[in-house]
């Protein structure tokens, strides 16, 4: 594509993304500062963005892992939700020693178990994981919804939510900047990401994962048990998504409520796809999604519907994705 | 006046000159051979004639008229047709639809009318087809005949065939040249691009030799000998390899009563340390299934496989690779390499668990680079950097690298599926030379090839496979080309 055509294309996408905002009754003098202020502005914006960032980063790590094995874990949303629900259930049980650790482990396990049927169907029977994951997502919505409207419901609350966790089971923030809070979940997510990077580059397991994801037949001829590698990667992906849900409960919301993941698992797909082949790109990718999510929340508060700002978000993601794709092609 | 007359053709790709100032003429009624090594410019020249490439310099004359071919459709409109090296039939479609594919005369297909005209074209050549059967059920020989009919359907006067006999048995190859002769006598201009010198000497009238993008000579075949032709192609004299008798040792690979559906029937044979064995057969007669069963990628219904004395019938592919089995796979893109990966990453594939590539699950990237460099240099792979994707190399260079990998550590049993595929004479000598050196150092190797002459020239002994049945020629027929050729077709030797 010629340089001029490229510029024109970018302008079209920007116009499509931002254009609708001019149609709202809210004047640009209000929403332009809000767009920035609610994502990176001090201090409210950072607070919103940071809260969005952690689950997207860990969810992104989860989806990325499956993606490199050649599997599309569209079930991350459901796995995150059952992970959060399981963690909430254990954390709200009568106190016992090691409750916090076991609660988080329960979230990881629940996520992994929720991924298992889809992983097994795909690797051992050839059933497409996208179809089974979409069905498992529905089951997760319905099951957790029923639990939190029934057995797990806080009798004193009006909505479908559990009680708040005991103070001792909440992760205290490690730092506060105004209203922005930083808790251990974010460093943990970053550590997972760096760990994944190291594993892929320096461990035989990471090499085999890449081989299976890129060319499963060649991997089989090289003695790599491709089905087993895929199955394990998918279960691990589910476990990591479950962890993202667990941390949402213990580090952020301190309770479980109906539909609390609110699309973060689906956004994780975008985070992982945008990051491409390099796991270290998951952090900036998650930051972009987090900031845009925070911006739509902020703009909703000044009267711009989420649907409209979501359109803008989609346009911007398209722009970033095509930019990163172009770089990928230049490598080949 | 020649029917086809290419004058002073030069074609460059960037800074690389693929062909330089090449003249090429072909007459009506003659079979013209175009020969040369990999990268000599044969295919480039033919693609210029077929309109798929536009020359940077030079003129194309067809029937004494100067033409500018902008695309293949231009060439087809001027009566030029080309059959590619890899067959272009769609297996799921019936023969008649493959025949007209891309040359339909409207949105409606009239099966009866198509078959009527197809029969009229096929009959004079003695071809018989089941027009409504899917192309997948056709033999390689029949597929090749269908390709020729496709050109006739498009009213081709000039027919270019790129390696038409690569997948054919000797008998089918002879049949093909019979057909080509008939077509030439009917006034067609036939151009055959080939690596097989006996075909040139026996089946063709004229020969043009290219080397390094330049015209070496163009002359009648009459009076030419095989060594002269080989020397013209390579640029130095070529001697047939001397087959020293092997120094036989233990049975390193023993296959007993291997059965897999209808593909393999009670196959038994053994390889001893020190020998290079050729498995001759027409494509699709069970070679693929046999090698995959030995690798452990396919599970046979019955039978046992012993590797270096160990029963590995139920072992994983990984365990077999660990026991010294190595494969030069049939399908480079699907089985042998990961095309988007750099050479250095492909170097470890298969042995990636073991030193020097890894220790205790930790990869040794520095040692991997050293090993990759050695693999690339082993057969003079032409590459820019170990970090370039292997898919970007030419097919011949990919094959050199993969052969280098399989033979890198002197493993015990090498299985090679068409190891010389896509290689020129020098490359073929390199690879077979290395396989021989490997066996003389105490290893053994089984080579599958569809080219019986290639196997006869390089292997210690030859076994044949036909319809999944493996047969060993009687000692007095061990090097009898005709007898083995009949066994390849499942006939009595």
């Amino acid at each position: 594509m010629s340089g001029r055509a490229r510029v024109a294309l970018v302008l079209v996408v920007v116009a499509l993304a931002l254009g609708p905002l001019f149609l709202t009754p809210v004047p640009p003098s209000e929403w332009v500062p809000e767009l920035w202020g609610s994502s990176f502005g001090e201090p409210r914006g950072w607070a919103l963005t940071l809260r969005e960032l952690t689950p997207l980063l860990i969810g992104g790590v989860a989806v990325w892992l499956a993606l490199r094995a050649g599997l599309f874990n569209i079930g991350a949303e459901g796995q995150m939700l059952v992970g959060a629900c399981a963690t909430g259930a254990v954390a709200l049980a009568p106190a016992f020693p090691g409750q916090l650790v076991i609660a988080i482990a329960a979230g990881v396990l629940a996520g992994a178990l929720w991924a298992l049927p889809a992983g097994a169907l795909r690797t051992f029977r050839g059933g497409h994981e996208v179809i089974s994951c979409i069905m498992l997502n529905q089951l997760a919505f319905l099951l957790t919804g029923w639990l939190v409207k029934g057995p797990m419901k806080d009798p004193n609350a009006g909505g479908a939510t559990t009680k708040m966790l005991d103070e001792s089971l909440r992760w205290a923030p490690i730092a506060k900047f105004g209203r922005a809070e930083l808790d251990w979940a974010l460093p943990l997510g970053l550590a997972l990401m760096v760990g994944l990077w190291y594993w892929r580059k320096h461990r035989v397991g990471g090499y085999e994962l890449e081989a299976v994801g890129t060319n499963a037949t060649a991997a089989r001829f090289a003695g790599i048990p491709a089905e087993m590698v895929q199955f394990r990667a998918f279960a691990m992906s589910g476990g990591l998504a479950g962890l993202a849900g667990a941390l949402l409960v213990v580090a952020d919301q301190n309770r479980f409520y109906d539909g609390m993941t609110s699309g973060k698992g689906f956004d994780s797909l975008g985070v992982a796809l945008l990051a491409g082949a390099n796991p270290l790109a998951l952090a900036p990718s998650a930051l972009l999604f987090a900031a845009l999510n925070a911006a739509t929340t902020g703009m909703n508060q000044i009267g711009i519907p989420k649907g409209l700002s979501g359109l803008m978000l989609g346009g911007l993601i398209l722009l970033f994705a095509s930019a990163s794709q172009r770089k990928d092609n230049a490598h080949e | 006046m020649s029917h086809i007359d290419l004058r002073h053709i030069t074609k460059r790709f960037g800074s690389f000159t693929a062909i330089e100032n090449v003249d090429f003429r072909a007459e009506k009624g003659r079979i013209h051979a175009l020969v040369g090594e990999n990268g000599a410019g044969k295919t480039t020249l033919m693609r210029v004639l077929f309109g798929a490439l536009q020359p940077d310099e030079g003129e194309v004359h067809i029937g004494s008229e100067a033409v500018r071919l902008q695309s293949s459709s231009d060439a087809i409109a001027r009566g030029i047709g080309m059959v590619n090296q890899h067959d272009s039939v769609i297996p799921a479609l019936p023969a008649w639809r493959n025949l007209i594919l891309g040359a339909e005369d409207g949105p409606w297909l009239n099966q009866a009318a198509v078959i009527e005209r197809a029969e009229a074209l096929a009959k004079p050549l003695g071809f018989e087809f089941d027009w409504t059967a899917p192309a997948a059920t056709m033999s390689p020989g029949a597929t090749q005949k269908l390709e020729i009919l496709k050109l006739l359907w498009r009213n081709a006067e000039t027919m270019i065939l790129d390696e038409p006999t690569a997948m054919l048995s000797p008998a089918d190859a002879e049949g093909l040249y019979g057909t080509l002769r008939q077509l030439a006598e009917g006034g067609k201009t036939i151009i055959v691009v080939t690596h097989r010198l006996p075909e040139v000497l026996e089946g063709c009238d004229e020969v043009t030799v290219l080397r390094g993008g330049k015209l070496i000579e163009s002359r009648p075949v009459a009076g030419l000998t095989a060594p002269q032709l080989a020397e013209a192609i390579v640029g130095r004299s070529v001697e047939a390899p001397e087959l020293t008798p092997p120094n036989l040792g233990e049975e390193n690979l023993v296959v007993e009563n291997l059965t897999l559906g209808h593909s393999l029937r009670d196959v038994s044979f053994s390889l001893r340390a020190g020998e290079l064995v050729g498995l001759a057969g027409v494509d699709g007669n069970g070679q693929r299934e046999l090698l995959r069963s030995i690798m452990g990628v396919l599970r046979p219904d019955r039978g046992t496989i012993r590797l270096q004395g160990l029963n590995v019938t139920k072992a994983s592919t990984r365990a077999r690779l660990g026991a010294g089995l190595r494969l030069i796979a049939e399908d480079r893109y699907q089985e042998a390499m990961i095309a988007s990966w750099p050479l250095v990453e492909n170097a470890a594939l298969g042995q990636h668990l073991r030193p020097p590539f890894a220790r205790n699950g930790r990869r040794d990237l520095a040692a991997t680079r050293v090993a990759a460099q050695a693999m690339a240099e082993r057969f003079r792979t032409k590459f820019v950097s170990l970090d370039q994707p292997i898919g970007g190399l030419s097919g011949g260079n990919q094959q050199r690298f993969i052969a280098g990998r399989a033979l890198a550590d002197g493993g015990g049993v090498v299985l090679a599926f068409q190891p010389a595929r896509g290689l020129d004479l020098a490359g073929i000598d390199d690879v077979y030379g290395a396989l021989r050196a490997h066996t003389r150092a105490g290893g053994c190797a089984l080579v599958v090839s569809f080219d019986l002459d290639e196997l006869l020239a390089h292997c210690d002994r030859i076994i044949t496979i036909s319809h999944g049945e493996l047969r060993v020629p009687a000692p007095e027929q061990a090097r009898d080309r005709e007898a083995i050729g009949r066994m390849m077709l499942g006939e009595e030797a």
Side-chain angles (χ1 to χ4, degrees):
Chain A
M1 206 187 295
S2 78
R4 206 182 289 172
R6 220 176 282 154
V7 171
L9 191 70
V10 169
L11 285 177
V12 166
V13 172
V14 170
L16 280 176
L18 297 182
L21 296 176
F22 290 94
L23 302 177
T24 65
V26 184
S29 58
E30 270 182 49
W31 65 256
V32 170
E34 182 63 31
L35 185 64
W36 177 258
S38 56
S39 47
F40 292 116
E42 286 288 343
R44 187 176 50 102
W46 271 107
L48 272 171
T49 300
L50 276 181
R51 283 185 82 169
E52 293 279 345
L53 176 58
T54 311
L56 288 178
L57 177 60
I58 300 178
V61 167
V63 174
W64 189 89
L65 187 67
L67 211 53
R68 297 318 290 178
L71 301 173
F72 199 66
N73 185 8
I74 202 171
E77 181 77 16
Q79 292 145 15
M80 217 180 253
L81 200 60
V82 294
C85 188
T87 298
V90 175
L92 288 165
F96 60 88
Q99 191 168 13
L100 179 59
V101 174
I102 292 176
I104 294 173
V108 174
L109 196 67
L113 284 176
W114 214 254
L116 227 50
L121 264 176
R122 164 62 195 254
T123 48
F124 301 116
R125 283 287 174 273
H128 205 290
E129 75 276 9
V130 167
I131 308 294
S132 38
C133 275
I134 289 172
M135 294 195 280
L136 283 164
N137 280 345
Q138 284 306 318
L139 288 178
F141 298 147
L142 295 171
L143 177 70
T144 56
W146 173 76
L147 281 171
V148 79
K149 281 169 199 151
M152 287 172 69
K153 185 173 182 301
D154 174 7
N156 302 321
T161 174
T162 65
K163 280 191 286 215
M164 295 300 283
L165 302 193
D166 188 75
E167 281 293 340
S168 66
L169 294 174
R170 301 180 189 177
W171 275 14
I174 46 174
K176 286 194 181 192
F177 327 93
R179 275 170 54 190
E181 289 181 359
L182 182 66
D183 56 51
W184 280 109
L186 184 59
L188 180 66
L190 289 170
L192 279 172
M193 180 188 80
V194 174
L196 200 57
W197 169 83
Y198 176 85
W199 182 71
R200 187 174 84 116
K201 192 166 165 63
H202 292 281
R203 303 294 304 182
V204 167
Y207 178 87
E208 295 197 338
L209 180 87
E210 282 284 315
V212 169
T214 321
N215 182 346
T217 308
R220 264 178 223 117
F221 274 86
I224 301 170
E227 286 76 16
M228 214 49 225
V229 167
Q230 283 193 321
F231 182 69
R232 275 201 302 254
F234 207 72
M236 275 167 71
S237 175
L240 285 166
L243 177 66
L247 297 183
L248 211 52
V249 171
V250 298
D252 186 7
Q253 302 286 338
N254 297 323
R255 62 182 176 125
F256 178 77
Y257 59 89
D258 193 16
M260 76 179 285
T261 52
S262 63
K264 292 188 171 66
F266 291 129
D267 284 349
S268 302
L269 293 169
V271 171
L273 286 169
L274 189 57
N278 181 4
L280 297 181
L282 284 165
S285 174
L287 185 64
L288 171 72
F289 275 80
L292 292 171
N293 275 346
T296 59
T297 307
M299 291 177 61
N300 194 33
Q301 284 161 6
I302 61 163
I304 294 180
K306 272 209 167 183
L308 214 51
S309 43
L311 202 65
M312 170 203 74
L313 189 138
L316 285 176
I317 289 169
L318 200 65
L319 207 60
F320 278 99
S322 48
S324 71
Q325 203 57 45
R326 207 170 60 84
K327 218 166 58 191
D328 280 0
N329 285 343
H331 277 299
E332 281 165 15
Chain B
M1 194 73 208
S2 303
H3 181 58
I4 297 292
D5 191 355
L6 303 179
R7 295 180 193 165
H8 314 299
I9 302 288
T10 296
K11 177 69 194 173
R12 300 183 195 92
F13 298 100
S15 62
F16 171 69
T17 305
I19 43 178
E20 192 179 349
N21 195 20
V22 169
D23 293 321
F24 179 85
R25 281 179 206 87
E27 321 281 340
K28 280 193 175 185
R30 309 280 277 172
I31 302 180
H32 206 111
L34 181 61
V35 297
E37 302 199 84
N38 290 340
K42 310 182 294 284
T43 305
T44 305
L45 186 65
M46 286 302 104
R47 286 170 64 86
V48 166
L49 176 56
F50 191 51
L53 290 174
Q54 278 69 52
D56 295 309
E57 286 162 35
E59 296 160 27
V60 177
H61 296 252
I62 297 173
S64 71
E65 184 189 347
V67 293
R68 283 181 60 94
L69 303 171
Q70 303 286 358
S71 68
S72 301
S73 351
D74 279 1
I76 291 169
R78 295 195 176 265
I80 294 179
M82 184 159 174
V83 177
N84 282 308
Q85 203 166 345
H86 301 287
D87 21 59
S88 47
V89 300
I90 298 176
L93 290 183
W96 72 271
R97 291 194 53 182
N98 268 300
L99 178 72
I100 61 170
L101 195 69
E104 300 88 349
D105 51 9
W108 310 108
L109 303 180
N110 183 342
Q111 181 177 349
V114 169
I115 292 180
E116 193 185 316
R117 188 182 158 210
E119 281 293 331
L121 290 173
K123 209 159 199 178
L125 296 171
F127 291 176
E128 276 178 29
F129 285 98
D130 179 353
W131 291 105
T132 51
T137 61
M138 295 166 58
S139 71
T143 310
Q144 195 60 261
K145 288 174 184 168
L146 184 65
E147 293 282 3
I148 290 172
L149 275 190
K150 275 165 83 173
L151 301 190
L152 293 177
W153 181 268
R154 288 157 179 74
N155 301 313
E157 287 299 314
T158 302
M159 309 171 92
I160 308 166
L161 297 97
D162 195 356
E163 298 281 349
T165 57
M167 298 298 203
L168 301 186
S169 69
D172 278 343
E174 254 172 57
L176 175 75
Y177 275 95
T179 303
L180 293 181
R181 177 59 62 201
Q182 214 179 328
L183 289 167
E185 280 164 3
K188 308 280 186 201
T189 308
I190 310 286
I191 303 169
V192 180
V193 179
T194 182
H195 272 121
R196 295 185 177 177
L197 304 190
E199 282 177 23
V200 176
L201 298 175
E202 287 159 28
C204 301
D205 306 314
E206 309 279 334
V207 60
T208 297
V209 180
L210 298 184
R211 192 197 314 144
K214 296 198 176 72
L215 177 67
I216 299 304
E217 64 175 333
S218 203
R219 56 162 290 174
V221 168
L224 198 60
T225 66
Q228 284 170 344
L229 185 53
E231 189 173 339
I233 291 170
V234 184
R236 56 184 163 81
S237 64
V238 185
E239 282 161 24
E242 202 178 316
L243 293 184
T244 51
N247 193 3
L248 293 181
E250 300 280 303
E251 285 187 322
N252 276 352
L253 175 70
V254 181
V255 172
E256 278 169 357
N257 307 110
L258 207 63
T259 299
L260 174 71
H262 296 294
S263 305
L264 296 175
R265 304 169 198 227
D266 241 356
V267 168
S268 300
F269 69 96
S270 70
L271 294 189
R272 303 181 84 100
E275 66 177 347
L276 179 58
V277 178
L279 180 61
V282 179
D283 189 15
N285 273 275
Q287 299 96 324
R288 194 160 295 127
E289 290 79 5
L290 178 61
L291 259 59
R292 288 181 177 196
S293 300
I294 299 175
M295 281 299 291
V297 179
L298 275 182
R299 296 278 150 183
D301 304 328
R302 245 174 339 102
T304 51
I305 300 165
R306 276 201 295 276
L307 195 59
Q308 324 263 32
L310 295 167
N311 186 340
V312 296
T313 313
K314 294 200 160 44
S316 66
T317 303
R318 173 166 286 173
R320 296 177 201 212
L321 289 168
L325 192 62
R326 296 288 179 277
L327 176 72
I328 299 176
E330 171 191 14
D331 185 334
R332 281 195 292 269
Y333 272 86
Q334 282 304 312
E335 299 163 0
M337 64 186 201
I338 296 181
S340 60
W341 278 13
L343 276 91
V344 61
E345 296 283 300
N346 272 289
L349 206 60
Q351 298 300 316
H352 56 274
L353 283 170
R354 278 172 278 277
F357 303 108
R359 276 180 189 81
N360 305 322
R362 191 178 199 286
R363 301 186 60 208
D364 187 337
L365 301 180
T368 303
R369 287 197 89 78
V370 174
Q373 185 76 31
M375 285 176 193
E377 283 169 3
R378 178 84 185 263
F379 296 124
R380 303 191 292 275
T381 307
K382 288 197 190 89
F383 66 104
V384 180
S385 149
L386 286 175
D387 297 310
Q388 77 181 113
I390 193 170
L393 299 181
S394 74
N397 279 313
Q398 290 167 0
Q399 191 69 359
R400 284 164 188 264
F401 188 80
I402 286 161
R405 182 178 68 192
L407 297 168
D409 59 357
V413 179
V414 174
L415 306 175
F417 203 113
Q418 294 256 72
R421 183 169 144 187
L423 294 187
D424 50 34
L425 289 172
I428 294 171
D429 279 352
D430 278 354
V431 169
Y432 276 101
L435 283 168
R436 289 192 68 75
H438 165 80
T439 56
R440 293 311 176 260
C444 60
L446 179 69
V447 184
V448 171
S449 174
F450 309 134
D451 185 342
L452 180 56
D453 293 315
E454 184 184 297
L455 293 179
L456 280 167
H458 297 100
C459 295
D460 297 318
R461 65 184 174 98
I462 288 173
I463 52 183
T464 67
I465 191 163
S466 167
H467 299 290
E469 282 177 41
L470 193 127
R471 290 202 292 171
V472 181
E476 67 274 15
Q477 292 173 330
R479 306 209 80 81
D480 181 339
R481 188 174 183 277
E482 302 300 317
I484 296 174
R486 283 193 296 276
M487 287 176 74
M488 284 168 69
L489 296 177
E491 295 162 10
E492 286 309 310

